Amino acid sequence: MTAPRERESSDRPKYAIDNFGQLAQATAEENKATAQGTITYFGTYSVNEADRTIDIRVEASSFPNWNGTDLKRFFEVSEEQLKLTVRPPRGGSVDVLWKRAK
């Protein structure tokens, strides 16, 4: 599966540097433009088929407030897509779509 995208990759500004090895030379403005609208995290997870939920134990995140916390996501699986739904405490919902690579 491919990683979810909030917007098309062509919409993201490019760095003035030539390669990843020069990342330390990026400007504060370039770093800010790259980071806005992006969140990453990793850890372990367990699936509850009956409730259609995934419980994620976040080891580390680009949003440090999540480090060491547990997240719950509701999921739906189709032949070509995984949809994770976040239901924030203040209401509403956010869907994250993962599409199968072709």
Side-chain angles (χ1 to χ4, degrees), residues 5-71:
R5 286 187 236 179
E6 186 172 284
R7 57 186 170 215
E8 291 299 316
S9 60
S10 61
D11 292 344
R12 296 187 60 165
K14 294 186 179 184
Y15 286 103
I17 58 176
D18 293 328
N19 63 57
F20 184 75
Q22 298 171 315
L23 193 55
Q25 298 171 22
T27 68
E29 292 81 17
E30 288 173 317
N31 288 329
K32 181 179 178 183
T34 299
Q36 286 182 329
T38 303
I39 190 164
T40 61
Y41 58 89
F42 66 90
T44 58
Y45 67 94
S46 61
V47 176
N48 183 324
E49 289 280 347
D51 291 343
R52 306 296 288 172
T53 60
I54 297 176
D55 293 309
I56 305 163
R57 178 70 180 166
V58 178
E59 188 173 324
S61 173
S62 59
F63 180 62
N65 301 30
W66 283 0
N67 293 353
T69 65
D70 296 312
L71 304 175

Side-chain angles (χ1 to χ4, degrees), residues 4-5 74 76 82-87 93-97:
R5 286 187 236 179
F74 298 87
E76 295 177 31
L82 167 64
K83 178 169 86 170
L84 300 178
T85 300
V86 181
R87 295 189 181 143
S93 67
V94 176
D95 293 328
V96 177
L97 302 176

